[in-house]
Coordinates of all heavy atoms in Angstrom, one line a residue:
M1 N 19.1 -22.0 10.5 CA 17.7 -21.8 10.8 C 17.5 -20.4 11.4 O 18.5 -19.7 11.8 CB 17.1 -22.9 11.6 CG 17.1 -24.2 11.0 SD 16.0 -24.2 9.5 CE 16.0 -25.9 9.2
C2 N 16.3 -20.1 11.7 CA 15.9 -18.8 12.3 C 16.0 -18.9 13.8 O 15.6 -19.9 14.4 CB 14.5 -18.4 11.9 SG 14.4 -18.0 10.1
G3 N 16.5 -17.8 14.4 CA 16.5 -17.7 15.9 C 15.1 -17.6 16.4 O 14.7 -18.1 17.4
Q4 N 14.3 -16.8 15.7 CA 12.9 -16.6 16.0 C 12.1 -17.4 15.0 O 12.6 -17.9 14.1 CB 12.5 -15.1 16.0 CG 13.3 -14.3 17.0 CD 13.0 -12.8 16.8 OE1 12.3 -12.4 15.9 NE2 13.4 -12.0 17.8
E5 N 10.8 -17.4 15.2 CA 9.9 -18.1 14.3 C 9.9 -17.4 13.0 O 9.7 -16.3 12.8 CB 8.5 -18.0 14.9 CG 7.4 -18.7 14.0 CD 6.0 -18.6 14.6 OE1 5.9 -18.4 15.8 OE2 5.1 -18.6 13.7
C6 N 10.2 -18.2 11.9 CA 10.2 -17.8 10.6 C 8.8 -17.8 10.0 O 8.1 -18.8 10.1 CB 11.1 -18.6 9.7 SG 12.8 -18.5 10.0
K7 N 8.4 -16.7 9.5 CA 7.0 -16.6 9.0 C 7.0 -15.8 7.7 O 7.4 -14.7 7.7 CB 6.1 -15.9 10.0 CG 4.6 -15.9 9.7 CD 3.8 -15.3 10.8 CE 2.4 -15.3 10.5 NZ 1.6 -14.7 11.5
T8 N 6.5 -16.4 6.6 CA 6.4 -15.8 5.3 C 4.9 -15.6 5.0 O 4.2 -16.6 5.1 CB 7.1 -16.6 4.2 OG1 8.5 -16.8 4.6 CG2 7.0 -15.9 2.9
V9 N 4.5 -14.4 4.7 CA 3.2 -14.1 4.3 C 3.1 -13.8 2.8 O 3.9 -12.8 2.4 CB 2.6 -13.0 5.2 CG1 1.1 -12.7 4.7 CG2 2.6 -13.4 6.6
Q10 N 2.4 -14.5 2.1 CA 2.3 -14.2 0.6 C 1.0 -13.3 0.4 O -0.1 -13.8 0.8 CB 2.2 -15.4 -0.2 CG 2.2 -15.2 -1.7 CD 2.2 -16.4 -2.5 OE1 2.1 -17.5 -2.0 NE2 2.3 -16.3 -3.8
K11 N 1.2 -12.2 -0.1 CA 0.0 -11.3 -0.4 C -0.4 -11.5 -1.8 O 0.4 -11.3 -2.7 CB 0.4 -9.8 -0.1 CG 0.8 -9.6 1.3 CD 1.2 -8.1 1.6 CE 1.5 -7.9 3.1 NZ 1.7 -6.5 3.4
I12 N -1.6 -11.9 -2.0 CA -2.1 -12.2 -3.4 C -3.2 -11.3 -3.9 O -3.5 -11.3 -5.0 CB -2.5 -13.7 -3.4 CG1 -3.6 -14.0 -2.4 CG2 -1.4 -14.6 -3.2 CD1 -4.3 -15.3 -2.6
Q13 N -3.8 -10.5 -3.0 CA -4.9 -9.7 -3.4 C -4.3 -8.3 -3.7 O -3.5 -7.8 -3.0 CB -6.0 -9.5 -2.3 CG -6.8 -10.8 -2.1 CD -7.9 -10.5 -1.1 OE1 -7.8 -9.7 -0.2 NE2 -9.0 -11.2 -1.3
M14 N -4.8 -7.7 -4.8 CA -4.4 -6.4 -5.2 C -5.4 -5.4 -4.8 O -6.6 -5.7 -4.9 CB -4.0 -6.3 -6.7 CG -3.3 -5.0 -7.1 SD -2.7 -5.1 -8.7 CE -1.1 -5.9 -8.4
D15 N -5.0 -4.2 -4.4 CA -5.9 -3.1 -4.0 C -5.3 -1.8 -4.5 O -4.3 -1.8 -5.1 CB -6.1 -3.1 -2.5 CG -7.5 -2.5 -2.1 OD1 -8.2 -1.9 -3.0 OD2 -7.8 -2.6 -0.9
Y16 N -6.1 -0.7 -4.3 CA -5.5 0.6 -4.7 C -6.0 1.7 -3.7 O -6.9 1.5 -3.0 CB -6.0 0.9 -6.1 CG -7.5 1.3 -6.2 CD1 -7.9 2.6 -6.1 CD2 -8.5 0.3 -6.3 CE1 -9.2 3.0 -6.2 CE2 -9.8 0.7 -6.3 CZ -10.2 2.0 -6.3 OH -11.5 2.3 -6.3
I17 N -5.2 2.7 -3.7 CA -5.5 3.9 -3.0 C -5.5 5.1 -4.0 O -4.6 5.2 -4.8 CB -4.5 4.2 -1.8 CG1 -4.6 3.1 -0.8 CG2 -4.8 5.6 -1.2 CD1 -3.6 3.2 0.3
Q18 N -6.5 5.9 -3.9 CA -6.6 7.1 -4.9 C -6.5 8.4 -4.1 O -7.0 8.5 -3.0 CB -8.0 7.0 -5.5 CG -8.2 7.9 -6.6 CD -9.5 7.6 -7.3 OE1 -9.9 6.4 -7.5 NE2 -10.2 8.6 -7.8
A19 N -5.7 9.3 -4.6 CA -5.5 10.6 -4.0 C -5.3 11.7 -5.0 O -5.0 11.4 -6.1 CB -4.4 10.6 -3.0
S20 N -5.5 13.0 -4.6 CA -5.3 14.1 -5.5 C -3.9 14.6 -5.6 O -3.5 15.4 -6.4 CB -6.3 15.2 -5.1 OG -6.0 15.7 -3.8
S21 N -3.0 14.1 -4.7 CA -1.6 14.5 -4.7 C -0.7 13.4 -4.1 O -1.3 12.5 -3.4 CB -1.4 15.8 -3.9 OG -1.6 15.6 -2.5
L22 N 0.6 13.5 -4.3 CA 1.4 12.5 -3.8 C 1.5 12.6 -2.2 O 1.6 11.6 -1.5 CB 2.9 12.6 -4.4 CG 3.0 12.1 -5.8 CD1 4.4 12.4 -6.3 CD2 2.7 10.6 -5.9
R23 N 1.4 13.8 -1.8 CA 1.4 14.0 -0.3 C 0.2 13.4 0.3 O 0.3 12.8 1.4 CB 1.5 15.5 0.0 CG 1.4 15.8 1.5 CD 2.1 16.9 2.1 NE 3.4 17.3 1.6 CZ 4.5 16.9 2.0 NH1 4.6 16.0 2.9 NH2 5.6 17.3 1.5
E24 N -1.0 13.6 -0.3 CA -2.2 13.0 0.2 C -2.1 11.5 0.2 O -2.6 10.8 1.1 CB -3.4 13.5 -0.6 CG -4.7 12.9 -0.1 CD -5.9 13.3 -0.9 OE1 -5.8 14.2 -1.8 OE2 -7.0 12.8 -0.6
L25 N -1.5 10.9 -0.9 CA -1.3 9.5 -1.0 C -0.5 9.0 0.1 O -0.8 8.0 0.8 CB -0.7 9.2 -2.4 CG -0.6 7.7 -2.8 CD1 -1.9 7.1 -2.9 CD2 0.2 7.6 -4.1
L26 N 0.6 9.7 0.4 CA 1.5 9.3 1.5 C 0.8 9.3 2.8 O 0.9 8.4 3.7 CB 2.8 10.1 1.5 CG 3.8 9.9 2.6 CD1 4.3 8.5 2.6 CD2 4.9 10.9 2.6
N27 N 0.0 10.4 3.0 CA -0.8 10.5 4.3 C -1.8 9.4 4.5 O -2.0 8.9 5.6 CB -1.5 11.9 4.3 CG -0.5 13.0 4.5 OD1 0.6 12.9 5.0 ND2 -1.0 14.2 4.2
K28 N -2.4 9.0 3.4 CA -3.3 7.9 3.4 C -2.6 6.5 3.8 O -3.2 5.7 4.6 CB -4.1 7.7 2.1 CG -5.2 8.8 1.9 CD -5.9 8.6 0.6 CE -7.0 9.6 0.5 NZ -7.9 9.3 -0.6
V29 N -1.5 6.3 3.2 CA -0.7 5.1 3.5 C -0.3 5.1 5.0 O -0.4 4.1 5.7 CB 0.5 5.0 2.6 CG1 1.5 3.8 3.0 CG2 0.1 4.7 1.1
N30 N 0.2 6.3 5.4 CA 0.7 6.4 6.8 C -0.5 6.2 7.8 O -0.4 5.5 8.8 CB 1.3 7.7 7.1 CG 2.7 7.8 6.5 OD1 3.3 6.7 6.2 ND2 3.2 9.0 6.2
S31 N -1.7 6.7 7.4 CA -2.9 6.6 8.3 C -3.3 5.1 8.3 O -3.6 4.6 9.4 CB -4.0 7.4 7.7 OG -5.2 7.3 8.4
H32 N -3.3 4.5 7.1 CA -3.6 3.0 7.1 C -2.7 2.2 7.9 O -3.1 1.3 8.7 CB -3.6 2.5 5.6 CG -3.7 1.1 5.5 ND1 -4.9 0.4 5.4 CD2 -2.8 0.1 5.4 CE1 -4.7 -0.9 5.3 NE2 -3.4 -1.1 5.3
N33 N -1.4 2.5 7.8 CA -0.4 1.7 8.6 C -0.6 1.9 10.1 O -0.3 1.0 10.9 CB 1.0 2.0 8.1 CG 1.3 1.5 6.7 OD1 0.5 0.7 6.2 ND2 2.4 1.9 6.2
S34 N -1.0 3.1 10.5 CA -1.2 3.4 11.9 C -2.4 2.7 12.4 O -2.4 2.1 13.5 CB -1.4 4.9 12.2 OG -0.2 5.6 11.9
D35 N -3.5 2.7 11.6 CA -4.8 2.1 12.0 C -4.7 0.5 11.9 O -5.4 -0.1 12.7 CB -5.9 2.6 11.1 CG -6.2 4.0 11.3 OD1 -5.8 4.6 12.3 OD2 -6.9 4.6 10.4
Y36 N -4.0 0.0 11.0 CA -3.9 -1.5 10.8 C -2.5 -2.0 10.7 O -2.0 -2.4 9.7 CB -4.6 -1.8 9.5 CG -6.0 -1.3 9.4 CD1 -6.3 -0.2 8.6 CD2 -7.1 -1.9 10.1 CE1 -7.6 0.3 8.6 CE2 -8.4 -1.4 10.1 CZ -8.6 -0.3 9.3 OH -9.9 0.2 9.2
P37 N -1.7 -1.9 11.8 CA -0.3 -2.3 11.8 C -0.1 -3.7 11.4 O 1.0 -4.1 10.9 CB 0.2 -2.0 13.2 CG -1.0 -1.9 14.0 CD -2.1 -1.5 13.2
E38 N -1.1 -4.6 11.7 CA -0.9 -6.0 11.3 C -1.0 -6.3 9.8 O -0.5 -7.3 9.4 CB -2.0 -6.9 12.1 CG -3.4 -6.6 11.6 CD -4.1 -5.4 12.2 OE1 -3.5 -4.7 13.0 OE2 -5.2 -5.1 11.7
C39 N -1.5 -5.4 9.1 CA -1.5 -5.5 7.6 C -1.1 -4.2 6.9 O -1.7 -3.6 6.1 CB -2.9 -5.9 7.1 SG -4.2 -4.8 7.5
A40 N 0.1 -3.7 7.4 CA 0.6 -2.5 6.9 C 1.0 -2.6 5.4 O 1.4 -3.7 4.9 CB 1.9 -2.1 7.7
I41 N 1.0 -1.5 4.7 CA 1.5 -1.4 3.3 C 3.0 -1.2 3.4 O 3.4 -0.1 3.8 CB 0.7 -0.3 2.6 CG1 -0.8 -0.5 2.6 CG2 1.3 -0.2 1.1 CD1 -1.6 0.7 2.0
L42 N 3.7 -2.1 2.9 CA 5.2 -2.0 2.9 C 5.7 -1.6 1.5 O 5.0 -1.7 0.5 CB 5.8 -3.4 3.2 CG 5.3 -4.0 4.5 CD1 5.9 -5.4 4.7 CD2 5.6 -3.1 5.7
K43 N 6.9 -1.1 1.5 CA 7.4 -0.6 0.2 C 7.4 -1.7 -0.9 O 7.1 -1.5 -2.0 CB 8.9 -0.1 0.4 CG 9.5 0.5 -0.8 CD 10.8 1.1 -0.4 CE 11.9 0.1 -0.3 NZ 13.3 0.7 -0.1
E44 N 7.7 -2.9 -0.5 CA 7.8 -4.0 -1.4 C 6.4 -4.5 -1.9 O 6.3 -5.2 -2.9 CB 8.6 -5.2 -0.9 CG 8.2 -5.7 0.5 CD 9.0 -5.0 1.6 OE1 9.8 -4.1 1.4 OE2 8.7 -5.4 2.7
D45 N 5.3 -4.0 -1.2 CA 3.9 -4.3 -1.7 C 3.5 -3.4 -2.8 O 2.5 -3.8 -3.5 CB 3.0 -4.1 -0.5 CG 3.2 -5.1 0.7 OD1 3.8 -6.2 0.4 OD2 2.9 -4.7 1.8
I46 N 4.1 -2.3 -3.0 CA 3.7 -1.3 -4.0 C 4.1 -1.8 -5.4 O 5.2 -2.1 -5.6 CB 4.2 0.1 -3.7 CG1 3.7 0.6 -2.3 CG2 3.8 1.0 -4.8 CD1 4.4 1.8 -1.9
V47 N 3.1 -1.9 -6.2 CA 3.3 -2.3 -7.6 C 3.6 -1.2 -8.5 O 4.6 -1.2 -9.2 CB 2.1 -3.1 -8.2 CG1 2.3 -3.5 -9.6 CG2 1.8 -4.3 -7.3
E48 N 2.8 -0.1 -8.4 CA 2.9 1.0 -9.3 C 2.1 2.2 -8.8 O 1.1 2.0 -8.1 CB 2.4 0.6 -10.7 CG 2.8 1.6 -11.8 CD 2.5 1.1 -13.2 OE1 2.0 0.0 -13.3 OE2 2.8 1.8 -14.1
I49 N 2.6 3.4 -9.1 CA 1.9 4.6 -8.8 C 1.6 5.3 -10.2 O 2.5 5.6 -10.9 CB 2.6 5.6 -7.9 CG1 2.9 4.9 -6.6 CG2 1.9 6.9 -7.7 CD1 3.7 5.7 -5.6
L50 N 0.3 5.5 -10.5 CA -0.1 6.0 -11.8 C -0.6 7.4 -11.6 O -1.2 7.7 -10.5 CB -1.2 5.1 -12.4 CG -0.9 3.7 -12.5 CD1 -2.2 2.9 -12.8 CD2 0.1 3.4 -13.6
K51 N -0.5 8.2 -12.6 CA -1.2 9.6 -12.6 C -2.1 9.6 -13.7 O -1.8 9.5 -14.9 CB -0.1 10.7 -12.7 CG -0.8 12.0 -12.5 CD 0.2 13.2 -12.5 CE -0.6 14.4 -12.3 NZ 0.0 15.6 -12.8
E52 N -3.4 9.8 -13.4 CA -4.5 9.9 -14.4 C -5.1 11.2 -14.3 O -5.8 11.5 -13.3 CB -5.5 8.7 -14.1 CG -6.5 8.5 -15.2 CD -5.9 7.9 -16.5 OE1 -4.9 7.1 -16.4 OE2 -6.3 8.3 -17.5
E53 N -4.8 12.1 -15.2 CA -5.2 13.5 -15.1 C -4.7 14.1 -13.8 O -3.5 14.2 -13.6 CB -6.7 13.7 -15.3 CG -7.1 13.2 -16.7 CD -8.6 13.4 -17.0 OE1 -9.3 14.0 -16.1 OE2 -9.1 12.9 -18.0
E54 N -5.6 14.5 -12.9 CA -5.3 15.1 -11.6 C -5.3 14.1 -10.4 O -5.3 14.6 -9.3 CB -6.2 16.3 -11.3 CG -6.1 17.4 -12.4 CD -4.7 18.0 -12.4 OE1 -4.0 18.3 -11.4 OE2 -4.2 18.2 -13.6
T55 N -5.4 12.8 -10.7 CA -5.5 11.8 -9.7 C -4.3 10.9 -9.7 O -3.9 10.4 -10.7 CB -6.8 11.0 -9.9 OG1 -7.9 12.0 -9.9 CG2 -7.0 10.0 -8.8
F56 N -3.8 10.6 -8.5 CA -2.8 9.6 -8.3 C -3.4 8.3 -7.8 O -4.2 8.3 -6.9 CB -1.7 10.1 -7.3 CG -0.9 11.2 -7.9 CD1 -1.3 12.5 -7.7 CD2 0.3 10.9 -8.5 CE1 -0.5 13.5 -8.2 CE2 1.1 12.0 -9.0 CZ 0.7 13.3 -8.8
I57 N -3.0 7.2 -8.4 CA -3.5 5.9 -8.0 C -2.3 5.0 -7.7 O -1.4 4.8 -8.5 CB -4.4 5.3 -9.1 CG1 -5.5 6.2 -9.5 CG2 -4.9 3.9 -8.8 CD1 -6.2 5.9 -10.8
M58 N -2.3 4.4 -6.5 CA -1.3 3.5 -6.1 C -1.8 2.1 -6.1 O -2.8 1.8 -5.3 CB -0.7 3.9 -4.7 CG 0.4 3.0 -4.3 SD 1.0 3.4 -2.7 CE -0.2 2.5 -1.7
L59 N -1.2 1.2 -6.8 CA -1.6 -0.2 -6.8 C -0.7 -0.9 -5.9 O 0.5 -0.7 -5.9 CB -1.5 -0.8 -8.2 CG -2.3 -0.1 -9.3 CD1 -1.9 -0.7 -10.7 CD2 -3.8 -0.2 -9.1
Y60 N -1.2 -1.8 -5.0 CA -0.4 -2.5 -4.1 C -1.0 -3.9 -3.8 O -2.2 -4.1 -3.9 CB -0.2 -1.7 -2.8 CG -1.4 -1.5 -2.0 CD1 -1.7 -2.3 -0.9 CD2 -2.3 -0.5 -2.3 CE1 -2.8 -2.1 -0.1 CE2 -3.5 -0.3 -1.5 CZ -3.7 -1.1 -0.4 OH -4.8 -1.0 0.3
Y61 N -0.2 -4.8 -3.2 CA -0.7 -6.1 -2.8 C -1.0 -5.9 -1.3 O -0.3 -5.2 -0.5 CB 0.4 -7.1 -2.9 CG 0.6 -7.6 -4.3 CD1 1.7 -7.3 -5.0 CD2 -0.4 -8.4 -4.9 CE1 1.9 -7.7 -6.3 CE2 -0.2 -8.8 -6.2 CZ 0.9 -8.5 -6.9 OH 1.1 -8.9 -8.2
R62 N -2.1 -6.6 -0.9 CA -2.5 -6.5 0.5 C -2.7 -8.0 1.0 O -2.8 -8.9 0.3 CB -3.8 -5.7 0.7 CG -5.0 -6.3 0.0 CD -6.2 -5.3 0.3 NE -7.4 -5.9 -0.2 CZ -8.4 -6.4 0.5 NH1 -8.4 -6.2 1.8 NH2 -9.4 -6.9 -0.1

């Protein structure tokens, strides 16, 4: 068993972040994680990063 309390959170809602560059996208994720550490965007939450013309769109579970 777990030494500490075992807690699994299933994220079922999908959301997106839109940015004009990958650097801006990373800055937005880092800013979100700093502002809301209890619901941070983790690497395993990211579904896909799309590029649509000059816009990057990151799909993730929250």
Side-chain angles (χ1 to χ4, degrees):
M1 296 293 190
C2 296
Q4 297 178 349
E5 179 183 332
C6 291
K7 186 176 181 182
T8 303
V9 176
Q10 183 177 7
K11 297 181 177 183
I12 57 172
Q13 291 184 329
M14 191 170 272
D15 205 350
Y16 72 95
I17 294 177
Q18 187 173 325
S20 60
S21 69
L22 287 175
R23 174 146 328 267
E24 182 184 351
L25 187 63
L26 178 62
N27 289 341
K28 286 184 176 189
V29 170
N30 288 337
S31 176
H32 170 86
N33 289 351
S34 293
D35 294 343
Y36 306 103
E38 67 281 352
C39 59
I41 300 170
L42 306 175
K43 184 171 79 173
E44 51 270 3
D45 297 334
I46 299 172
V47 175
E48 191 169 4
I49 297 175
L50 307 165
K51 183 174 185 206
E52 192 68 37
E53 295 181 10
E54 298 298 318
T55 303
F56 289 88
I57 302 167
M58 182 183 80
L59 303 173
Y60 67 98
Y61 284 109
R62 62 181 187 115

